[in-house]
Amino acid sequence: MRFNPKARLDTSRVRDGGGGGGAGGGMGGGGMRIPLPGGTRAGGGVGFLVIVVVILLLKACGGVDLTGAITGAGASGYTTSRFQGDPTAYQGCTTGQDANEHPTTCGVVAVENSLVDYWRDTLAQQAPNTRFQPETAIMTFSGSTPSGCGQASAQMGPFYCPNDQTIYFDPSFFHDILQQQLNGPSGAFVEPYVIAHEFGHHIQNLLGTMRKVKTQQGPNSDSVRLELQADCYAGMWARSASQTEDSQGNVLLLDLTDQDIQDAIAAAKSVGDDTIQKETTGQVNPEQWTHGSSAARVQWFQNGYRNGTLDACNTFTGGNVE
């Protein structure tokens, strides 16, 4: 993945929420827990990892997450000193060259800018009755931070909150949880894929798709359909990102390699419900799925990548999505 060195970056929507403590804080830690349907609560257990794949529209806080909440797991071993409430964390990200040289900071800004450019054009062409507006912010943090959906925690993984239209994530997730605990990939395109997936939830919010979520568990539930569609939307962006121009006519993302796409596919595999269940319990129970199997997540990402249309990503047609 390579950015246009001369492209100008807009940092106005990418912010640092600072730090609010380490493991045990926030919705995904040992303190406040995420309420699940039927009055049950996620969490419990000390000294071992418990991964709970949470419903997509969390009834208590309205959040939409990528992998679910992780409780009883520390977030260590990854340096996040740049995400400690520094208001200038992204101010130095002014060009595509900055993104090439600093992919874990300025690269986030460049990916966000590319997503905004792509979806502004795509909705105008494919959904002209829907008014595009960027997400309010991408908020990075260390440990935990307040959000419009309650206290965001590093253990939750990245998520989109429709209440404030903001994407939240602690960058330590990609090393400590995705790689170390879920055996996911470490390629350069993994983080952009995750951000594109969460931005896909923002597009669903704009299109009104989130209101369709009624059933919350099962391989063909509405929750699974919502997640697989977000994967498909990430594939749509990946297909066309290197041809998307900003308002000044500059292409920001110059190219994506075959390895970049393979990294995204590997990331999709690692956060499938069946893979997570195998890693944590040794058993697979499709009736508890809320995000889709690894195979389905890969399939729908590739579907968006091959076809590039909203219609091709319609997971709510009523047929099986697995």
Side-chain angles (χ1 to χ4, degrees), residues 126-207:
Q126 299 187 28
N129 293 327
T130 299
R131 178 177 175 271
F132 174 77
Q133 61 187 56
E135 86 298 350
T136 301
I138 289 181
M139 185 72 72
T140 57
F141 61 92
S142 177
S144 65
T145 194
S147 81
C149 296
Q151 191 77 359
S153 168
Q155 290 83 6
M156 291 184 66
F159 70 96
Y160 170 75
C161 174
N163 294 348
D164 57 12
Q165 298 189 3
T166 296
I167 296 168
Y168 293 88
F169 67 91
D170 182 330
S172 66
F173 164 82
F174 296 98
H175 178 273
D176 292 350
I177 295 175
L178 185 61
Q179 295 174 35
Q180 296 297 315
Q181 297 174 5
L182 298 181
N183 297 315
S186 59
F189 196 62
V190 172
E191 189 168 342
Y193 154 72
V194 171
I195 295 172
H197 171 102
E198 299 306 333
F199 204 98
H201 287 310
H202 178 61
I203 299 304
Q204 292 169 324
N205 195 18
L206 297 180
L207 292 171

Side-chain angles (χ1 to χ4, degrees), residues 19-215:
M27 291 183 288
M32 185 184 301
R33 299 173 180 174
I34 300 177
L36 293 179
T40 61
R41 289 180 174 269
V46 177
F48 60 94
L49 176 64
V50 179
I51 297 182
V52 182
V53 183
V54 188
I55 62 170
L56 274 301
L57 293 180
L58 298 176
K59 288 186 175 180
C61 58
V64 179
D65 77 327
L66 175 67
T67 62
I70 296 181
T71 63
S76 60
Y78 184 81
T79 300
T80 57
S81 58
R82 68 186 188 279
F83 302 101
Q84 297 291 341
D86 179 6
T88 66
Y90 297 101
Q91 287 184 6
C93 302
T94 60
T95 68
Q97 184 60 31
D98 295 327
N100 289 328
E101 294 176 358
H102 308 285
T104 59
T105 50
C106 299
V108 174
V109 178
V111 168
E112 190 272 351
N113 286 189
S114 177
L115 284 161
V116 167
D117 293 338
Y118 171 74
W119 283 109
R120 178 183 288 116
D121 294 345
T122 299
L123 289 190
Q125 296 166 7
Q126 299 187 28
N129 293 327
T130 299
R131 178 177 175 271
F132 174 77
Q133 61 187 56
E135 86 298 350
T136 301
I138 289 181
M139 185 72 72
T140 57
F141 61 92
S142 177
S144 65
T145 194
S147 81
C149 296
Q151 191 77 359
S153 168
Q155 290 83 6
M156 291 184 66
F159 70 96
Y160 170 75
C161 174
N163 294 348
D164 57 12
Q165 298 189 3
T166 296
I167 296 168
Y168 293 88
F169 67 91
D170 182 330
S172 66
F173 164 82
F174 296 98
H175 178 273
D176 292 350
I177 295 175
L178 185 61
Q179 295 174 35
Q180 296 297 315
Q181 297 174 5
L182 298 181
N183 297 315
S186 59
F189 196 62
V190 172
E191 189 168 342
Y193 154 72
V194 171
I195 295 172
H197 171 102
E198 299 306 333
F199 204 98
H201 287 310
H202 178 61
I203 299 304
Q204 292 169 324
N205 195 18
L206 297 180
L207 292 171
T209 313
M210 286 186 172
R211 294 193 294 271
K212 295 182 178 181
V213 176
K214 307 298 182 185
T215 57

Side-chain angles (χ1 to χ4, degrees), residues 302-315:
Q302 292 176 322
N303 196 26
Y305 186 76
R306 285 193 298 264
N307 296 288
T309 66
L310 293 172
D311 287 343
C313 291
N314 186 359
T315 56

